[in-house]
Amino acid sequence: MSETAQRSTILLTGATGCIGGRLLAALEARGHAVRCMTRRPGTLAGRVGPRTAVVRGDCFDPVSLAAPLAGVDTAYYLVHSMGGPRSHDFESRDREAARNFGEAARSAGARRIIYVGGLGAETGLSRHLRSRHETGEVLRASGVPVVELRSGIVIGAGSLSFELVRALVERLPVMTCPSWVRTPTQPIALSDLIAYLVAALDLPHGESRLFEVGGADAVSYGGIMQEYARQRGLRRWFIPVPLLTPRLSSLWLGLTTPVYARVGRELIDGVRTPTVVRDDAALTAFPIRPLGLRQAIRRALEEEDAAFAARPWSDEALSAATPLRWGGARIRSRLIDSRVVDLPVPAAAAFAPIRRIGGVSGWYYGNWLWRLRGLVDRLIGGVGMKRGRRDPEDLAVGDILDCWRVVDCQPDARLLLAADMKLPGHAWLEFAVTSKSDGTTTIRQTAVFDAAGLWGRIYWHALYPAHVLLFRGMLRSIGQRAMKETY
Ligand SMILES: NC(=O)c1ccc[n+]([C@@H]2O[C@H](COP(=O)([O-])OP(=O)(O)OC[C@H]3O[C@@H](n4cnc5c(N)ncnc54)[C@H](OP(=O)(O)O)[C@@H]3O)[C@@H](O)[C@H]2O)c1
């Protein structure tokens, strides 16, 4: 490869993370040659495009950084240590990681590092925000020009700050509101931050630049929670309390949302500091007009739905789920029940009963239970189970199927249904059919429930035995029909 071609290579760190994962897709869509550096190359298997390379590298192992940075023009630095091992010591670890990376980038002749830091004035910062600023300084000290985007909290699925808001609002019907929830902040839509990161590639080379980037609205942390609750249709009571400090709040957080407790404490510690854009140079330097809070949350929820709908459930996708002692597995607010059957029939035969499901064919198992559910739905103002289907054999996207609607239908491969019935959340039912090299076929049947708040979770867990009975029986019956029609 020529030096010029090699030099157009972009190194992306943090591609397994929330911002890096989305940035990777955006860079690939624009045809860039990307090299992803990760400590866990296996995590990116099947998630990168054909032109993207994945290499192992660890910022705490300087020797491992030479190969990822070889021939790189621009390196995105999206690394942080919060939440990882020894994360209590994240400040010194982040300093060390940035120093190693900056030095390796300089030795490799990289022309630019693009780094995402955090908003906040220079003084009175929390440990977390101070460390984010310091990381930018350490990278600049390497001598490689750095474009630092100091970002507001990111509104998008997988972003720690957004997941914290989600965990709190989804779990707690009554929330105490200490004074810190009124601290002003300027959250940014993940899609806008990605647009800034991509546009930063077009800035002239040569000097370090620092931009503050945030969404169109400066709001309070309480305002973010209220808007999230509104869009999810959750009624939440916010009770003002004068005495709850961020420290006490973080202990409370540990009790209510243990998953986010460790990183959440550091983030909550930072909420005393206003994080708003004070210098709006980014609005002049970039052709980007960021969304306000309402649109940012709407987009985050819509993008998440679209991402779930785009790919069939698989072992790989389910490996990201947390198994529950009771009630299947969970990814964020989504509860999942997935089961498979292997059949010695071709994919077309396995899909045939799936294609005919509902309407006069019924749901293949426990039809009286489906009718009872439909009756209850009618009584509470829902659509019920009697809408039938347009055609007994043919299905198309948008078709009505009793209490469901067809979201995706790929012949002999996939049927995805979304529930139209009244529920404390949103429900989907998917059948994914895959042929194996030995000529057999697997049907994976996955029920997903995006539980809205506490009632949503109570509904899922309370009805779980009935759902297991229905879904297990339905899949068994589909298998038996496919076999009977083949042999
Ligand atoms: N999310 C927000 O609200 C927000 C707001 C403002 C700024 N930021 C900043 O944006 C950046 C990315 O955030 P994010 O939310 O995308 O983070 P994230 O989802 O937690 O991902 C962090 C990434 O860091 C990588 N990493 C950690 N230690 C590493 C090491 N020793 N060597 C190489 N890679 C390492 C991990 O890669 P592997 O595990 O694959 O190695 C992972 O992909 C961070 O600098 C963060 O402070 C985020």
Side-chain angles (χ1 to χ4, degrees), residues 13-20 37-40 57-60 77-81 115-118 128 132 151-154 158-161:
T13 63
T16 55
C18 152
I19 298 170
M37 182 186 102
T38 165
R39 294 164 300 173
R40 309 165 288 153
D58 181 344
C59 290
F60 295 116
Y77 189 73
L78 304 177
V79 171
H80 69 85
S81 306
Y115 161 64
V116 183
H128 165 57
R132 295 291 78 203
S151 164
I153 67 171
V154 176
S159 157
L160 277 177
S161 341

Side-chain angles (χ1 to χ4, degrees), residues 118-147:
L119 282 175
E122 300 308 321
T123 52
L125 292 176
S126 65
R127 283 174 69 205
H128 165 57
L129 290 173
R130 205 168 44 234
S131 165
R132 295 291 78 203
H133 283 15
E134 188 187 22
T135 297
E137 282 155 28
V138 173
L139 290 171
R140 278 187 288 277
S142 71
V144 178
V146 175
V147 175

Side-chain angles (χ1 to χ4, degrees), residues 111-413:
R111 289 207 293 160
R112 174 161 53 194
I113 296 172
I114 302 177
Y115 161 64
V116 183
L119 282 175
E122 300 308 321
T123 52
L125 292 176
S126 65
R127 283 174 69 205
H128 165 57
L129 290 173
R130 205 168 44 234
S131 165
R132 295 291 78 203
H133 283 15
E134 188 187 22
T135 297
E137 282 155 28
V138 173
L139 290 171
R140 278 187 288 277
S142 71
V144 178
V146 175
V147 175
E148 177 174 349
L149 299 177
R150 288 190 175 169
S151 164
I153 67 171
V154 176
I155 304 288
S159 157
L160 277 177
S161 341
F162 183 65
E163 292 307 333
L164 200 60
V165 167
R166 190 202 312 255
L168 285 171
V169 180
E170 294 278 350
R171 261 156 229 246
L172 303 174
V174 179
M175 264 181 284
T176 49
C177 284
S179 58
W180 61 257
V181 301
R182 288 189 288 278
T183 307
T185 184
Q186 208 161 335
I188 183 167
L190 177 56
S191 52
D192 285 330
L193 179 59
I194 299 302
Y196 278 120
L197 282 164
V198 173
L201 287 172
D202 297 329
L203 291 173
H205 276 284
E207 53 171 329
S208 287
R209 306 285 300 270
L210 199 156
F211 296 100
E212 295 189 328
V213 295
D217 300 326
V219 292
S220 66
Y221 285 92
I224 301 175
M225 293 196 253
Q226 272 167 339
E227 180 55 26
Y228 177 87
R230 193 190 68 76
Q231 294 201 22
R232 291 277 295 164
L234 299 170
R235 193 177 296 173
R236 292 292 177 257
W237 283 270
F238 295 86
I239 299 173
V241 285
L243 282 176
L244 209 58
T245 63
R247 190 79 217 137
L248 279 173
S249 303
S250 65
L251 293 174
W252 167 233
L253 180 80
L255 288 174
T256 52
T257 58
V259 180
Y260 297 104
R262 206 165 27 153
V263 283
R265 268 175 219 162
E266 296 302 338
L267 293 178
I268 287 216
D269 234 17
V271 299
R272 255 188 289 226
T273 323
T275 44
V276 289
V277 173
R278 293 159 307 143
D279 172 355
D280 61 6
L283 292 177
T284 317
F286 298 99
I288 294 157
R289 291 296 165 265
L291 300 175
L293 176 69
R294 182 172 287 201
Q295 296 151 300
I297 293 181
R298 186 175 317 126
R299 181 167 293 185
L301 296 175
E302 283 170 1
E303 282 175 351
E304 191 175 31
D305 278 352
F308 274 107
R311 287 210 305 174
W313 287 94
S314 60
D315 284 341
E316 189 205 350
L318 284 161
S319 66
T322 311
L324 300 175
R325 250 177 293 168
W326 168 257
R330 181 174 56 76
I331 298 182
R332 302 183 199 125
S333 56
R334 282 171 165 75
L335 296 154
I336 303 152
D337 176 79
S338 191
R339 53 195 71 241
V340 291
V341 64
D342 289 317
L343 300 170
V345 302
F351 197 75
I354 296 170
R355 183 167 38 82
R356 291 196 291 264
I357 205 164
V360 287
S361 304
W363 290 81
Y364 300 149
Y365 186 83
N367 277 321
W368 67 272
L369 268 175
W370 283 101
R371 280 195 294 274
L372 181 66
R373 181 65 184 85
L375 187 67
V376 172
D377 196 49
R378 293 285 295 172
L379 287 174
I380 57 174
V383 296
M385 281 298 285
K386 289 199 172 155
R387 295 191 300 174
R389 50 182 287 165
R390 175 182 57 81
D391 185 283
E393 291 286 331
D394 183 49
L395 271 185
V397 172
D399 275 3
I400 280 167
L401 199 51
D402 295 331
C403 63
W404 302 90
R405 207 168 6 90
V406 179
V407 176
D408 190 20
C409 184
Q410 295 167 30
D412 306 338

